[in-house]
Amino acid sequence: MEDIRGPFRASEAIAAGRTSRGRVAGPNTQRLFPDVHASVGQVAEPSDLAGRAREAALYVKGAPAVIGGYAAAELHGASCGPRTAPVDLIVGRRRVRPRPGLRIHQDVLAPDEVVAAGDLLVTSTLRTAWDLVRRLDGDGGVVALDALARAGTFDPVELLALAQLHPRSRGSRRVADAVVRADPRSASPPETRMRLGLLAEGVPAAVPQLEVRDARGWFVAHVDLGWEEAKVAAEYQGDHHRTDREQWMHDQARFAELASAGWLVLPCTALDLRFPHAFAVRVLAALAERAR
């Protein structure tokens, strides 16, 4: 007997002598899916999307399932959706019963649409973007496309070729609009949402991750969004910028350096992402003042 770390298939572990039926049925082991268990204390939290994907991958026996959707993006290092999202499993033509927390897709993937992420199989960054953009309404598809194109270093325009190859795919009409609005220079989903929110409110387009240099040509910082001629920047400030003392001190020093180089920095919060109009008014006022 041994303490098995991480999720495991009970039938295989029992056959290999790694555990027993009694231990599997005991209070120290939790059932996740049929034949899939984990020791109590090692079960992935609801917010651990990558961990839940590892558990879900064991549910499908035979040929391994391929992880897609938001879970694939998470495993690619391109987190772009709710961490509590269901795990998408792509199983080909097999019939697999859905389970709570899982979405089963009977898609057939091309060989170049499947890659390894450690010991798991996941859809490629391009295929993951294709699936998410077709599924998501509004800005969600653009957020996913920005994150995955940045992680996978592909041009969003490449999605248009897939749309031409699969014109009858559900949601394929959303692809062209997402490609036009995408800009993988955005370094995080909140930065993409900030950029899209300002554009929707009529603010002139800014440059994501603009490099700022001082009058001597020395590097000062990269700003989330920058209007170079006006020397105005918009910076997204997540909760960690407020709660992490070191991050807060770093931000203050950085803002001081930008100010000394003649730049005005406008902070953007999660509330501004929800209600972008007021933030857009502040940005437009700053641009107008700098123009004068």
Side-chain angles (χ1 to χ4, degrees):
M1 301 298 101
E2 63 178 273
D3 291 326
I4 304 175
R5 296 198 61 80
F8 61 92
R9 284 201 182 104
S11 59
E12 295 177 359
I14 292 169
R18 301 178 65 195
T19 189
S20 66
R21 294 185 184 278
R23 293 186 68 179
V24 168
N28 295 322
T29 303
Q30 182 172 333
R31 181 181 183 270
L32 306 174
F33 304 104
D35 199 33
V36 180
H37 295 70
S39 297
V40 172
Q42 295 186 20
V43 178
E45 296 291 334
S47 60
D48 181 6
L49 183 53
R52 289 190 292 111
R54 295 183 185 281
E55 296 170 350
L58 292 175
Y59 169 56
V60 180
K61 294 185 177 180
V66 179
I67 297 166
Y70 279 135
E74 189 79 18
L75 290 164
H76 279 300
S79 178
C80 55
R83 295 183 182 275
T84 55
V87 174
D88 292 276
L89 292 180
I90 301 172
V91 299
R93 297 304 184 197
R94 289 175 289 174
R95 290 187 176 273
V96 178
R97 184 178 177 181
R99 294 286 175 179
L102 300 184
R103 276 193 294 241
I104 305 298
H105 304 270
Q106 291 182 305
D107 296 336
V108 176
L109 299 170
D112 63 351
E113 292 179 327
V114 181
V115 299
D119 58 347
L120 299 175
L121 295 180
V122 302
T123 50
S124 67
T125 51
L126 183 63
R127 173 65 197 223
T128 306
W130 166 253
D131 289 337
L132 287 174
V133 167
R134 288 184 299 120
R135 181 193 307 166
L136 300 171
D137 290 323
D139 293 345
V142 184
V143 170
L145 181 52
D146 275 3
L148 286 156
R150 185 178 179 89
T153 62
F154 67 82
D155 190 327
V157 174
E158 293 181 44
L159 281 192
L160 297 179
L162 288 178
Q164 292 177 346
L165 287 174
H166 308 285
R168 295 183 180 179
S169 294
R170 180 178 298 178
S172 58
R173 294 183 178 179
R174 295 173 175 155
V175 172
D177 177 67
V179 168
V180 169
R181 300 168 65 205
D183 192 330
R185 291 177 295 179
S186 297
S188 69
E191 291 179 30
T192 295
R193 292 190 181 279
M194 177 173 64
R195 175 176 63 81
L196 295 176
L198 290 175
L199 288 173
E201 292 290 336
V203 177
V207 178
Q209 290 300 309
L210 177 67
E211 182 180 89
V212 174
R213 293 183 175 273
D214 63 17
R216 296 169 293 179
W218 290 3
F219 173 78
V220 176
H222 284 100
V223 294
D224 294 348
L225 286 177
W227 292 265
E228 189 166 18
E229 185 174 348
K231 290 188 175 183
V232 172
E235 288 272 303
Y236 179 71
Q237 299 286 287
D239 285 345
H240 72 285
H241 289 268
R242 174 178 54 82
T243 59
D244 186 316
R245 180 173 174 78
E246 288 193 10
Q247 180 66 56
W248 180 84
M249 291 190 295
H250 172 77
D251 289 342
Q252 303 316 300
R254 186 165 169 273
F255 292 163
E257 291 175 359
L258 285 164
S260 67
W263 279 74
L264 172 65
V265 178
L266 302 176
C268 174
T269 67
L271 186 63
D272 294 318
L273 297 185
R274 290 174 57 196
F275 306 102
H277 178 72
F279 183 61
V281 168
R282 295 197 295 272
V283 173
L284 287 170
L287 293 175
E289 179 64 28
R290 286 298 178 104
R292 286 196 292 272

